[in-house]
Amino acid sequence: MPPTDAPEPHRSHPMAESFGEDAARYDRARPRYPDALVAAVVAASPGRAVLDVGTGTGILGQQLRAVGCRVLGVEVDARMAEFARRAGLDVEVAAFEEWEPEGRTFDAVVSGQSWHWVDAAVGAAKAARVLVPGGLLAPVWNTFNPSTEVAETFAKVYRRAVPEAPFNPWSPESLGGYSRLFARAVEVLREAGGFGAPEERRVAWERPYTRDEWLEQVLTHGDVLRLQPDEREALLSGMAEAIDAWGGRLAMGYETVALFAVRDA
């Protein structure tokens, strides 16, 4: 999870750049995006040329390519970019704020799980610059939406494992953190101009996990990667014990949240 209690997550460079430590695990363990959301992006775009900002291992880019889009990724972490290239995506290594489009334009600019790592004002201006008139800007986030029992149990586990942590990612405040990131993105877009009124799209869904699948997914989050080894082991052990008590399986609720903003004609 990003540091959703911070006003400017894009300044948290060590966390943002930690995901490439095990790109294969990230790609294997992170969930894909709902087909309905991918279809909505395609339907709202005037064409099939897509720029994928913070493409990572290419999860969203691959899904868009599978439905006929021509995707170019921009990724700051060379390790993640290389993984995405091996999967068949074209990727250029750069921070989006510094990336040069060299006259290229796109029908859609998307960003899966990464727009909060971009300076919001600079990102909005760059997106407006590279989008064709009527083009779509669509940052997308998969957010945890656990049951009360799961959230309360994991919050207790995290509190025991990392008692000095400045925030608990399973607290109600942290689970709602993406709403603040979304609100900030909307505010910046309205201030920047060049786009119509932003729309919010939400898709609720659920993914089943075995214990080991869940623990692997946990190890793809920046806040966990930056823990001390003993803290990380205590967290994983506590979660494993909880999932074993639930029969060895976990049904994790998700809500995919997207911002759709159309560039002015």
Side-chain angles (χ1 to χ4, degrees), residues 44 46 131-137 194-199 259-265:
L131 280 169
V132 300
L136 176 70
L137 171 63
F195 289 91
E199 296 181 30
L259 182 160
F260 279 24
V262 176
R263 185 185 181 278
D264 293 339

Side-chain angles (χ1 to χ4, degrees), residues 34 37 143 178-179 182 200-205 255-258:
L37 192 282
T143 72
Y178 279 97
S179 294
F182 184 92
E200 181 177 335
R201 306 288 182 96
R202 291 180 178 265
V203 179
W205 52 287
E255 186 171 49
T256 298
V257 183

Side-chain angles (χ1 to χ4, degrees), residues 178-201:
Y178 279 97
S179 294
R180 292 191 292 277
L181 295 177
F182 184 92
R184 173 60 178 160
V186 169
E187 176 187 359
V188 170
L189 275 175
R190 286 175 173 158
E191 292 174 352
F195 289 91
E199 296 181 30
E200 181 177 335
R201 306 288 182 96

